[in-house]
């Protein structure tokens, strides 16, 4: 049975009516980590792992959702006087419904069945895939056109203000705007995305460290505070800067004394990472995979030493990946403290790379890494077979 037929059949196990089907992909970020909330540059690609939803309009204003991933069900009355986050998975879905209505999109009630192939909590953005597929479904069922950039912003707002995770725009933007066969270089200030081709000589390979350290969310928000502190302190010398995007490496070095050592290193990661993304986009445009790979390696060192968002297992996995034949570069991808590593690998060496990395990582840590090669996909839309 085709995947869409299977999902339709499961929908009818729980709900009534003829559902419409939607999809929204997870993503891997090739380079540009934690730069999005600094008005900077990122370069993700949408994955073939995605959240699917079967959804049917209801006559009332109840949003009822079931996830096949955790086998849980919940409902929200759009007309309730107050909407209070529940502190669980439903915040990602209901947060989007609440923010859509707040943005003036009047919604209909809906029955929604979600099924996601994005590994949860691994830095491949299962959260944005869930938000975006729910948002896409709710807008479509209520008869609204979907503007992908607007949907991305509303989903980010849901994660910021309803879930309480102060993420940037990257995950939601790429889930809405991914382009098959390409990475997207996104200017997170202007929200312009430009496609970057992935040379057919190379493959993007993702390896999961299989660890996730619980401090991730608190540390994420703390990193964001350090960046804001850096901007505040640097303003004295640099005038009206709005974000670390506006700070050059020379500016930062000249004003190092204004910052504590920790704040300086946090800022240095963002400032140098922005430069790396711009150089990486040029390198890919010129099919200069060696330069691209070197920038990936430098990005990892900066996340590990300056931004301090890596962890022992991920560093081991990156070291193993970088040592393989045919690898151009490797780095942690996603928010940090565990999750996945992304590598760019010569097409002919991918099979050996995956086998050798899996064996060496198991030997070093006891964890069995899930590793896959990706072919970038389009952003969210109707689900077709
Ligand atoms: P990541 O986005 O890297 O996968 P997050 O911690 O940001 O990790 O988001 C993971 C959370 O998103 C899960 O703990 C769960 O609450 C929610 N989630 C994501 N996908 C689903 C799903 N298909 N069903 C239920 N909850 C989901
Ligand atoms: Mg997430």
């Amino acid at each position: 049975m085709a995947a869409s037929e299977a999902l339709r059949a499961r929908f009818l196990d729980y709900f009534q009516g003829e559902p419409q089907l939607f999809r929204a992909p997870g993503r891997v970020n090739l380079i540009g980590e934690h730069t999005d909330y600094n008005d900077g540059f990122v370069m993700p690609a949408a994955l073939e792992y995605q959240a699917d939803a079967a959804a049917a309009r209801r006559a009332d204003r109840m949003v009822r959702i079931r996830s096949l991933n955790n086998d849980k069900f919940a409902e929200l009355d759009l007309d309730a006087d107050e909407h209070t986050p529940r502190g669980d998975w439903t915040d990602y879905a209901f947060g989007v419904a609440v923010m859509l209505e707040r943005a003036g999109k009047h919604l209909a009630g809906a029955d929604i069945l979600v099924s996601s192939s994005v590994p949860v909590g691994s830095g491949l953005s299962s959260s944005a895939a869930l938000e975006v597929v729910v948002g896409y479904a709710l807008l479509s069922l209520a008869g609204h056109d979907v503007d992908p950039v607007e949907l991305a912003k509303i989903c980010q707002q849901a994660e910021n203000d309803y879930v309480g995770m102060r993420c940037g725009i990257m995950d939601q933007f790429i889930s809405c705007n991914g382009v098959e066969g390409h990475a997207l270089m996104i200017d997170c200030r202007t929200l312009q995305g430009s496609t970057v081709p992935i040379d057919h000589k190379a493959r993007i390979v993702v390896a999961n460290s299989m660890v996730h350290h619980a401090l991730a969310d608190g540390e994420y928000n703390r990193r964001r505070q350090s960046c804001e502190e850096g901007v505040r302190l640097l303003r004295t010398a640099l005038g009206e800067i709005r974000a670390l995007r506006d700070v050059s490496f020379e500016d930062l070095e000249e004003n190092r004394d204004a910052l504590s050592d920790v704040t300086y290193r946090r800022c240095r990661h963002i400032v140098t990472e922005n430069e790396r993304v711009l150089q990486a986009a040029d390198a890919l445009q010129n099919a200069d995979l060696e330069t691209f790979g070197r920038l990936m390696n430098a990005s990892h060192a900066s996340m590990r030493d300056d931004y301090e968002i890596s962890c022992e297992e991920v560093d081991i996995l990156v070291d193993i990946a970088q040592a393989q034949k045919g690898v151009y570069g490797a780095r942690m991808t996603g928010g940090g403290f565990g999750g996945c590593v992304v590598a760019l690998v010569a097409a002919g060496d991918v099979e050996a790379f995956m086998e050798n990395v899996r064996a060496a990582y198991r030997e070093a840590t006891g964890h069995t890494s899930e590793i896959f090669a990706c072919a970038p996909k389009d952003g969210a839309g109707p689900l077709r077979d």
Side-chain angles (χ1 to χ4, degrees), residues 27 92 121-129 131 159 165 167 171-172 217 335:
R27 62 99 188 94
Y92 297 91
S122 300
L124 301 179
S125 207
S126 69
S127 58
E131 290 153 7
E159 191 151 343
M165 167 69 173
C167 61
D171 298 356
Q172 294 81 7
D217 288 4

Side-chain angles (χ1 to χ4, degrees), residues 15-257:
F15 302 113
Q16 279 153 19
E18 184 55 27
Q20 295 180 43
L21 307 185
F22 304 92
R23 57 172 283 278
R27 62 99 188 94
V28 57
N29 188 23
L30 301 187
I31 192 162
E33 218 64 72
H34 288 255
T35 41
D36 55 354
Y37 56 79
N38 288 291
D39 276 5
F41 303 97
V42 294
M43 200 192 293
L47 293 173
E48 59 255 72
Y49 294 105
Q50 63 193 33
D52 293 336
R57 186 181 164 117
R58 293 173 57 86
D60 60 13
R61 293 252 298 158
M62 297 300 293
V63 176
R64 303 165 77 222
I65 184 164
R66 179 177 283 275
S67 170
L68 291 179
N69 294 86
N70 58 13
D71 200 28
K72 292 205 164 115
F73 170 82
E75 52 190 0
L76 175 88
D77 182 352
L78 289 169
D79 287 329
D81 292 338
E82 241 183 298
H83 292 116
T84 313
R86 302 172 196 189
D88 61 18
W89 70 283
T90 61
D91 292 346
Y92 297 91
F94 295 154
V96 172
V98 169
M99 294 303 163
L100 280 170
E101 287 239 314
R102 241 179 242 177
K105 309 280 180 193
H106 187 76
L107 300 178
D111 287 332
I112 306 174
L113 180 71
V114 173
S115 173
S116 180
S117 58
V118 187
V120 171
S122 300
L124 301 179
S125 207
S126 69
S127 58
L130 175 59
E131 290 153 7
V132 171
V133 83
V134 167
Y136 209 107
L138 289 172
L139 284 170
S140 303
L141 294 180
H144 297 290
D145 290 336
V146 179
D147 171 339
V149 174
E150 187 186 23
L151 178 58
K153 285 197 218 167
I154 288 172
C155 290
Q156 182 203 12
Q157 205 185 347
E159 191 151 343
N160 287 173
D161 298 343
Y162 208 82
V163 176
M165 167 69 173
R166 299 184 66 209
C167 61
I169 188 76
M170 170 170 70
D171 298 356
Q172 294 81 7
F173 192 95
I174 187 68
S175 186
C176 290
N177 295 286
V179 178
E180 183 161 359
H182 293 77
L184 210 58
M185 209 255 318
I186 305 164
D187 179 334
C188 297
R189 171 168 280 169
T190 63
L191 296 185
Q192 295 292 319
S194 32
T195 52
V196 196
I198 307 295
D199 192 295
H200 64 271
K201 292 198 297 291
R203 293 273 180 287
I204 301 165
V205 180
V206 174
N208 194 336
S209 71
M210 312 307 282
V211 301
H212 181 71
H213 295 288
L215 41 94
D217 288 4
E219 289 294 323
Y220 189 103
N221 289 348
R222 207 161 302 141
R223 291 300 178 282
R224 201 166 165 159
Q225 282 166 8
S226 289
C227 294
E228 287 161 358
E229 159 99 351
V231 170
R232 197 172 54 75
L233 294 170
L234 289 168
R235 245 186 221 137
T236 315
L238 301 176
E240 265 316 297
I241 51 168
R242 276 161 58 198
L244 288 177
R245 154 75 173 271
D246 302 313
V247 178
S248 70
F249 185 66
E250 292 70 30
D251 287 339
L252 180 65
E253 290 302 297
E254 270 171 28
N255 294 285
R256 184 175 182 156
D257 292 348

Side-chain angles (χ1 to χ4, degrees), residues 315-324 353 356-357 360-362 364:
D315 288 340
I316 291 171
L317 186 53
V318 166
D319 285 347
I320 291 170
Q322 288 179 353
Q324 301 302 312
F353 174 90
N356 294 339
V357 169
Y361 186 63
R362 192 190 291 130

Side-chain angles (χ1 to χ4, degrees), residues 359-381:
Y361 186 63
R362 192 190 291 130
E363 170 86 28
T365 65
H367 298 293
T368 303
S369 175
E370 283 164 12
I371 310 186
F372 57 92
C374 343
K377 287 287 182 280
D378 281 333

